[in-house]
Amino acid sequence: MKSYLKMETHPLANPENVIKGDKYRITVLTEHLLRLEYSEDGEFIDAASQTVVNRDFPAAEFTVKDTGDELELCTKYLQLNYNKKSFSANGLSCKTTAVGIGSVPAWHYGDPTQDLGGTARTLDQVNGACDLEPGIMSWFGSTVLDDSKSLLMTEDGWVTPRKKGVQDLYFFGYGWNFRLALKDFYHLCGKTPMLPRFALGNWWSRYWRYSESSYMKLMEDFDKENVPFSVAVIDMDWHRVDDVDPKYGSGWTGYSWNKKLFPDPERFLGKLHARGMKTTLNVHPADGIRAYEDCYPEVAEAMGVDAKKEEPVNFDIADPKFVDVYFDKVHHPMEKEGVDFWWIDWQQGQSTKIEGLDPLWMLNHYHFLDSGRDGKRPMTFSRYAGPGSHRYPVGFSGDTHITWESLDFQPYFTSTASNIGYGWWSHDIGGHMLGYRDDELEARWYQYGVFSPINRLHSSNSAFSGKEPWNFSMEVRSTMDDFLRLRHKLVPYLYTMNYRAWKEDTPIVVPMYYDYPETVFWGKNQAPNQYFFGSELMVTPVTTKCIPELKRAKTKVWLPEGTWFDFFNGMIYEGGRSMDLYRTLEEIPVLAKAGAIIPMTEKISALDVESNPDELTVRVYAGADNTFALYEDDNTTMAYEKDDCAKTSMTLDWGARKFTIAPVEGNQSLVPESRMYCVEFGGSTAKEAKVFVNGVEADAEVKEKDGLLTIAVTDVKPQDTVTICLPEDTEIAKNDVMTRAMDLLLHAEISYITKEQIANLLHKADGKVAILAAELQSMELSNDLRGALLEIITA
């Protein structure tokens, strides 16, 4: 195998952490994490596996008591009891003391792990929810990752089966310290690499017979709509499909451009590159390379196949020679033409000539490593293939049904995948197939897509399922456009979270219970569709239809203690409770924590996505101290691994009512020579501010816009310090209850008499919350109208 197809691993454990008997070996990887092995012949595995690649944890503290018949091993957080025989329920148990709910049962070998779920291979043929494979998080504090059947990686980068009958388990006893569990999992199984910056923009994908001219016309139409895309996903019909002679089989697998549609592929790809877009092509490799392919003569010669007889070169990912030819003769020439990465759309089974080898895993593994062979940041796009798949982003979740049930499942499915380290799911935003037409559903799906890891619109080849915004009603079209633009505005924030995912081992989307375990009770998730989106935002997508009389949808949200600010409508909430939040079609509950700092940009074209912008909009929310370090690098190479980057620290000192943008640390050549900062203060009473650059008061444009105090500072150099001082008497703002309630009543489709009665009550109560709530309870109102008013009154 080529050197770049060999993954770096560190599989040897610290000898100080190992307890070994004739037929067993126990490795204390951390005070929370144990490796448990049993082998009848006393031979144990030190090689990396498909799942586990690093066991080089530091020395851990533990004690061992050996009574002859039983071994008792204790760390600060675990107690293992083992009878030194083949693993059994009565002979192997482990108890964790790290759980925050008091005493929990010990785990016995073979017990169900009671974990909180991981993810699934695909959502193909799933309408709504599906079962999830296990993760490493449990409400009861302990889980087990069974690595007994995964293949081993050889020193030359290949794989080989294990001996049969060997037991190889990893016991996770982290209690409710979910973030630490994930951090150690990433060390054990490999880090999630950073994505190239372009991947965080909008992706356009459709199973459709485009041509060069029709595709470029579509891109021009998006330009007129001022809707940006950074990735072009070209599905099946880029290659020959219908004009394949039946003697060669179907046209499902193909590697030859359809020259009737794309007469000059290099020209087509060049046009997309000129727009700043990257391109991925869909491939179904199962049928190998057959005689009609443009690359067949070279492939046949390299594989020793008689080209004159038109013998097919069968797909065989278990053959090292085929793997080399597959990349060198088939994919690399097309990459020279301009293909940026590949969409591996494998659906044809889980068996190969190597026992236990899933072809999907092998495709993901080698495609990812191959894509980084020239020093660029590797990336692939494929389905999940079991634990360890987080090393090969981005994930394709499969052909989604166009239903409310499918949308409702995706937020939970995505956040729960973090329990097995899988942080970069890409869904068919808007739905791919079947289902039904519902404009409101499409708008809500787009909104979710913006606040999901990857925002890839997708649809089938039906003439009726296209996701172009102009195919929908004006109200829905406007919402779609706004949110697609917002995704690109958020790229500075998203890219910093991309770095955090690699550096700090925290996916961009994580469940609420990572920080608030009380949101799961006896294993039941109380906020399944609610999640943190990076370090600053908490999101609960809307996944149900609007209530007709209110023209708003209801979403239940659990608010942690503290103050929370709605990113879209500015509503301010006090936490420590659950609430029903009501949202118009133009907004969803995206709540910023007190003190949140969210860097954005107005430079949203595809050409802008790959560059570090010279204009930044920084949204800052009142109420608490906070620091955010904006991360920037060259966006496409592996330089981040060497810490070749630029970091701009932004700090809110709420006590001093002061916001500071510090000089750029690190490689200042990576950022523009000067920048304009537009700082937006949300949720405060401030109406004015003073600006200082390097300690000297500076001119700045200060104004109120959309309920935000905005301060524009121009010509800021990387070495400059910018300080914005708010008035000393600045406080957290209060909601304008009357204005918000009157707006709700104005648009509500209820009787005018009821509107007048409620308005009179609002004026009469004069802000007295208890009186208002009591009076509303006594009125004959629908539960949702009452609920929407109570949200405003009690927020």
Side-chain angles (χ1 to χ4, degrees):
M1 301 300 295
K2 294 181 173 64
S3 60
Y4 56 78
L5 293 181
K6 179 183 177 183
M7 180 181 174
E8 181 180 353
T9 63
H10 303 275
L12 293 178
N14 187 328
E16 298 177 32
N17 292 359
V18 178
I19 305 98
K20 186 175 180 297
D22 291 339
K23 297 183 179 181
Y24 68 86
R25 184 169 69 170
I26 300 171
T27 307
V28 183
L29 296 171
T30 77
E31 293 178 315
H32 296 271
L33 177 60
L34 306 177
R35 185 188 189 193
L36 310 174
E37 298 172 90
Y38 184 86
S39 172
E40 278 293 337
D41 62 11
E43 293 184 11
F44 300 101
I45 298 299
D46 287 325
S49 73
Q50 290 175 294
T51 301
V52 174
V53 296
N54 301 311
R55 304 186 188 96
D56 58 336
F57 289 85
E61 292 188 9
F62 61 93
T63 60
V64 178
K65 182 190 299 183
D66 191 341
T67 65
D69 294 328
E70 185 178 70
L71 198 71
E72 182 177 279
L73 182 151
C74 293
T75 74
K76 183 177 179 180
Y77 300 104
L78 303 176
Q79 177 184 321
L80 176 82
N81 292 91
Y82 173 47
N83 66 0
K84 302 183 184 180
K85 299 178 182 179
S86 180
F87 295 162
S88 63
N90 63 341
L92 175 63
S93 65
C94 194
K95 182 177 178 62
T96 178
T97 60
V99 187
I101 56 172
S103 178
V104 295
W107 168 82
H108 292 78
Y109 178 77
D111 283 352
T113 59
Q114 305 294 334
D115 68 279
L116 290 165
T119 193
R121 185 180 180 103
T122 179
L123 295 179
D124 282 350
Q125 302 179 15
V126 174
N127 181 18
C130 69
D131 293 334
L132 301 180
E133 297 175 21
I136 61 162
M137 313 299 185
S138 169
W139 191 75
F140 292 99
S142 62
T143 57
V144 174
L145 177 64
D146 189 344
D147 197 39
S148 304
K149 295 182 180 180
S150 71
L151 275 63
L152 304 177
M153 293 190 191
T154 60
E155 290 189 2
D156 64 355
W158 197 240
V159 293
T160 185
R162 297 173 183 250
K163 292 184 304 179
K164 294 184 183 298
V166 174
Q167 293 167 295
D168 190 0
L169 311 178
Y170 292 83
F171 180 87
F172 287 76
Y174 286 82
W176 289 349
N177 197 339
F178 300 127
R179 290 184 183 273
L180 180 60
L182 193 56
K183 189 174 187 65
D184 287 347
F185 171 84
Y186 278 132
H187 181 82
L188 182 71
C189 300
K191 277 184 169 288
T192 292
M194 281 191 71
L195 299 179
R197 193 178 181 100
F198 69 79
L200 301 174
N202 298 316
W203 298 28
W204 177 259
S205 177
R206 189 181 185 189
Y207 178 20
W208 190 255
R209 183 161 288 230
Y210 289 112
S211 65
E212 176 181 345
S213 59
S214 69
Y215 202 89
M216 298 315 299
K217 170 65 165 56
L218 176 66
M219 294 300 107
E220 291 169 5
D221 290 342
F222 279 124
D223 288 343
K224 295 174 185 175
E225 197 88 355
N226 192 25
V227 168
F229 287 90
S230 61
V231 176
V233 183
I234 315 297
D235 209 326
M236 272 284 292
D237 290 292
W238 68 269
H239 64 77
R240 295 166 59 192
V241 175
D242 295 333
D243 60 348
V244 174
D245 192 315
K247 70 179 181 179
Y248 300 118
S250 79
W252 192 249
T253 293
Y255 296 97
S256 303
W257 283 92
N258 185 336
K259 295 297 180 66
K260 295 178 182 177
L261 301 176
F262 301 96
D264 187 340
E266 191 166 358
R267 180 182 66 198
F268 170 63
L269 296 170
K271 288 179 180 178
L272 292 172
H273 286 159
R275 296 176 54 84
M277 296 180 71
K278 303 298 183 183
T279 306
T280 182
L281 302 184
N282 174 280
V283 289
H284 297 90
D287 288 335
I289 295 88
R290 291 161 291 170
Y292 71 87
E293 301 281 12
D294 296 341
C295 61
Y296 175 76
E298 289 187 76
V299 170
E301 181 180 2
M303 290 298 296
V305 167
D306 190 343
K308 293 181 180 178
K309 294 181 179 179
E310 295 192 332
E311 295 176 354
V313 176
N314 294 322
F315 174 83
D316 186 2
I317 201 69
D319 177 3
K321 184 178 181 180
F322 176 82
V323 172
D324 283 342
V325 172
Y326 173 78
F327 287 115
D328 291 347
K329 305 299 183 183
V330 181
H331 290 82
H332 293 175
M334 300 180 73
E335 290 172 20
K336 289 180 180 178
E337 290 180 329
V339 178
D340 296 289
F341 64 103
W342 298 93
W343 175 8
I344 303 109
D345 200 356
W346 179 267
Q347 307 168 55
Q348 289 79 25
Q350 301 182 41
S351 300
T352 65
K353 293 177 181 178
I354 299 177
E355 185 178 359
L357 175 61
D358 181 348
L360 174 62
W361 182 89
M362 199 71 139
L363 283 163
N364 292 353
H365 180 70
Y366 283 130
H367 261 284
F368 181 82
L369 294 174
D370 181 77
S371 70
R373 69 189 180 280
D374 56 1
K376 73 176 183 180
R377 200 171 297 178
M379 188 174 115
T380 192
F381 180 40
S382 185
R383 286 174 169 82
Y384 176 79
S389 293
H390 63 273
R391 300 190 300 259
Y392 317 117
V394 168
F396 164 53
S397 67
D399 296 338
T400 303
H401 288 222
I402 309 171
T403 63
W404 282 101
E405 290 81 5
S406 291
L407 170 59
D408 187 54
F409 183 58
Q410 285 188 357
Y412 168 77
F413 179 81
T414 307
S415 64
T416 305
S418 294
N419 294 344
I420 198 66
Y422 204 68
W424 290 111
W425 266 127
S426 168
H427 301 305
D428 289 352
I429 297 302
H432 172 68
M433 60 190 290
L434 302 177
Y436 40 75
R437 168 78 180 226
D438 188 322
D439 283 22
E440 188 180 339
L441 169 63
E442 292 298 321
R444 296 304 191 188
W445 222 322
Y446 276 46
Q447 291 168 333
Y448 166 64
V450 170
F451 292 94
S452 67
I454 300 293
N455 190 33
R456 177 182 54 87
L457 312 186
H458 191 53
S459 55
S460 75
N461 59 356
S462 167
F464 305 107
S465 65
K467 296 298 184 288
E468 296 87 347
W470 50 84
N471 287 339
F472 299 90
S473 67
M474 287 302 297
E475 185 182 19
V476 167
R477 173 179 182 173
S478 176
T479 296
M480 290 176 164
D481 287 354
D482 287 345
F483 273 80
L484 290 171
R485 287 189 281 267
L486 175 61
R487 177 70 182 197
H488 278 224
K489 291 179 183 180
L490 286 168
V491 165
Y493 176 72
L494 298 172
Y495 197 68
T496 301
M497 295 303 108
N498 180 23
Y499 173 72
R500 186 185 74 146
W502 171 76
K503 184 70 173 179
E504 301 179 17
D505 300 312
T506 301
I508 187 171
V509 169
V510 296
M512 294 296 295
Y513 49 77
Y514 276 29
D515 291 326
Y516 301 97
E518 61 267 37
T519 57
V520 286
F521 186 72
W522 288 100
K524 181 174 175 58
N525 193 342
Q526 306 298 309
N529 275 11
Q530 189 173 332
Y531 54 86
F532 287 110
F533 190 66
S535 60
E536 311 299 292
L537 298 172
M538 182 175 68
V539 180
T540 308
V542 173
T543 60
T544 57
K545 289 182 72 68
C546 282
I547 299 158
E549 71 170 358
L550 299 181
K551 295 187 178 297
R552 301 183 184 207
K554 178 172 68 175
T555 303
K556 185 177 181 179
V557 176
W558 182 77
L559 298 171
E561 292 285 349
T563 305
W564 298 87
F565 303 84
D566 190 282
F567 181 84
F568 291 105
N569 64 27
M571 183 87 87
I572 304 168
Y573 298 89
E574 286 304 316
R577 53 182 168 153
S578 291
M579 289 187 71
D580 288 331
L581 305 190
Y582 294 79
R583 292 296 181 267
T584 66
L585 187 64
E586 296 79 25
E587 57 195 18
I588 62 173
V590 175
L591 302 179
K593 67 183 183 182
I597 301 169
I598 307 159
M600 299 180 286
T601 183
E602 295 297 319
K603 296 290 190 74
I604 64 171
S605 75
L607 287 168
D608 293 317
V609 165
E610 271 205 294
S611 62
N612 300 322
D614 59 8
E615 295 181 9
L616 285 172
T617 299
V618 184
R619 182 79 62 86
V620 183
Y621 285 95
D625 295 345
N626 190 27
T627 296
F628 187 98
L630 174 69
Y631 175 87
E632 297 169 290
D633 59 19
D634 66 8
N635 300 316
T636 57
T637 75
M638 303 300 291
Y640 69 90
E641 292 186 334
K642 301 176 182 177
D643 209 29
D644 184 8
C645 62
K647 296 179 181 178
T648 307
S649 181
M650 305 176 186
T651 301
L652 176 63
D653 182 343
W654 179 243
R657 304 303 193 260
K658 181 172 65 176
F659 178 71
T660 303
I661 301 172
V664 176
E665 296 180 356
N667 187 351
Q668 293 187 353
S669 68
L670 291 168
V671 302
E673 293 182 359
S674 68
R675 266 182 169 149
M676 185 192 84
Y677 284 92
C678 181
V679 180
E680 301 177 338
F681 284 99
S684 86
T685 58
K687 303 297 182 184
E688 58 184 25
K690 289 185 177 181
V691 178
F692 299 86
V693 177
N694 301 324
V696 178
E697 188 167 358
D699 292 332
E701 183 182 11
V702 181
K703 62 181 180 180
E704 284 190 90
K705 180 183 178 183
D706 300 328
L708 303 167
L709 178 67
T710 64
I711 299 99
V713 189
T714 60
D715 197 28
V716 177
K717 307 294 192 296
Q719 63 272 21
D720 289 343
T721 298
V722 177
T723 305
I724 300 175
C725 296
L726 303 178
E728 292 182 1
D729 61 354
T730 300
E731 300 292 343
I732 297 175
K734 295 182 179 180
N735 293 319
D736 186 342
V737 172
M738 182 61 73
T739 299
R740 291 180 182 276
M742 292 298 286
D743 182 69
L744 170 66
L745 292 172
L746 176 65
H747 295 95
E749 294 185 347
I750 59 175
S751 75
Y752 288 109
I753 291 177
T754 302
K755 293 187 183 194
E756 294 291 350
Q757 289 174 335
I758 296 172
N760 290 336
L761 174 61
L762 289 167
H763 287 287
K764 182 180 177 181
D766 193 26
K768 295 180 178 65
V769 174
I771 294 175
L772 274 170
E775 291 285 355
L776 288 172
Q777 291 292 349
S778 68
M779 294 182 67
E780 292 186 5
L781 306 176
S782 70
N783 289 334
D784 285 318
L785 175 58
R786 184 182 295 109
L789 288 165
L790 287 174
E791 175 199 350
I792 295 169
I793 293 166
T794 66

